[in-house]
């Protein structure tokens, strides 16, 4: 701007005395956790809502985002999460906008043809047309089996991929007598 006579050269040298290198949010690693904690606290005070706990899955999901809008984008997402959480005491990935929950998920696991085949398999099981609740339960069990395989036995990954809390995941695994996780 100085070269194009759009900014005074003397003023440029006055403000250029100290240079601060501030990397973008996506390059800050786990620093984002501290920023999230501070901003959630500030937003809770500002909006006069009860302070929320923050799940490790919530942090992990936010760490995976590229944040092209840097801190302003993060603050907008945190405001959404607080509003979405309502009276829930802890922020989890389901409180995030959908496009932020989906970052890092590999969708090649279930192609449309595979899904159609799976539905056909459930509908033609034993030659009988299943009742709706049986159909839902069967699909849910198949989903959980594939989720366990995709997460390679890691409960945090499975919880993050599915968008449900670890306790909900354990409840569903128990419902279908599926194996749990090792100590991770």
């Amino acid at each position: 701007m100085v070269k194009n006579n759009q900014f005074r050269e003397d003023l440029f040298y006055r403000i250029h005395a100290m240079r601060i290198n501030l990397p973008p949010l996506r390059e800050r690693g786990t620093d984002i956790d501290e920023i999230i904690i501070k901003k959630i606290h500030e937003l809770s005070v500002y909006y006069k809502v009860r302070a929320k706990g923050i799940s490790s899955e919530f942090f992990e999901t936010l760490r995976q985002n590229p944040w092209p809008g840097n801190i302003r984008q993060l603050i907008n997402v945190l405001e959404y999460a607080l509003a979405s959480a309502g009276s829930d005491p802890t922020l989890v990935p389901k409180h995030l906008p959908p496009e932020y929950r989906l970052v890092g998920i590999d969708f090649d696991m279930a192609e449309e043809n595979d899904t159609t085949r799976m539905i056909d398999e459930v509908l033609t099981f034993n030659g009988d047309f299943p009742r709706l609740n049986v159909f839902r339960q069967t699909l849910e069990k198949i989903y959980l089996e594939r989720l366990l395989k995709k997460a390679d036995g890691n409960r945090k990954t499975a919880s993050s991929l599915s968008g449900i809390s670890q306790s909900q995941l354990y409840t569903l695994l128990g419902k279908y007598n599926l194996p749990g996780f090792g100590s991770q």
Side-chain angles (χ1 to χ4, degrees):
M1 290 177 70
V2 170
K3 289 179 184 177
N4 294 331
N5 292 325
Q6 295 175 333
F7 196 84
R8 287 180 28 206
E9 187 173 8
D10 64 312
L11 185 55
F12 170 75
Y13 287 110
R14 285 184 188 198
I15 63 174
H16 194 266
M18 184 189 318
R19 188 173 201 160
I20 300 173
N21 183 21
L22 187 61
L25 199 52
R26 68 184 159 273
E27 295 175 11
R28 301 284 302 267
T30 56
D31 285 357
I32 193 171
D33 295 359
E34 293 177 36
I35 296 168
I36 291 167
I37 292 168
K38 182 175 180 0
K39 289 299 174 186
I40 289 293
H41 174 73
E42 288 175 358
L43 292 169
S44 296
V45 170
Y46 181 79
Y47 290 114
K48 297 179 175 90
V49 296
R50 211 171 254 239
K52 305 276 186 204
I54 305 169
S55 72
S56 58
E57 296 87 2
F58 188 85
F59 285 121
E60 183 60 35
T61 303
L62 290 178
R63 269 189 240 119
Q64 292 177 8
N65 280 277
W67 303 112
N70 276 313
I71 194 74
R72 184 69 248 165
Q73 182 183 10
L74 175 63
I75 292 170
N76 289 343
V77 169
L78 295 176
E79 286 178 328
Y80 179 99
L82 272 177
S84 174
S87 63
D88 291 351
T90 305
L91 295 173
V92 294
K94 75 175 183 177
H95 297 127
L96 294 169
E99 62 271 20
Y100 292 88
R101 283 181 262 157
L102 302 177
V103 169
I105 297 177
D106 183 10
F107 288 101
D108 67 355
M109 183 176 97
E111 296 176 10
E112 188 174 329
N113 292 339
D114 188 35
T115 304
T116 304
R117 226 176 298 124
M118 183 172 54
I119 291 170
D120 288 341
E121 180 182 314
V122 172
L123 290 174
T124 58
F125 183 71
N126 290 336
D128 295 329
F129 197 82
R131 298 186 72 75
L132 182 58
N133 63 339
V134 173
F135 176 74
R136 284 183 182 149
Q137 289 175 354
T138 305
L139 281 180
E140 191 171 51
K141 183 176 181 182
I142 292 169
Y143 174 85
L144 290 168
E145 289 169 343
R146 291 189 180 194
L147 175 65
L148 289 170
K149 185 177 178 182
K150 181 74 174 174
D152 198 27
N154 185 301
R155 68 175 178 255
K156 289 181 181 178
T157 303
S159 182
S160 179
L161 287 171
S162 64
I164 61 175
S165 69
Q166 290 181 32
S167 62
Q168 289 174 304
L169 189 56
Y170 277 110
T171 301
L172 288 171
L173 293 175
K175 177 180 175 182
Y176 296 108
N177 294 321
L178 294 171
F181 303 100
S183 58
Q184 299 169 354

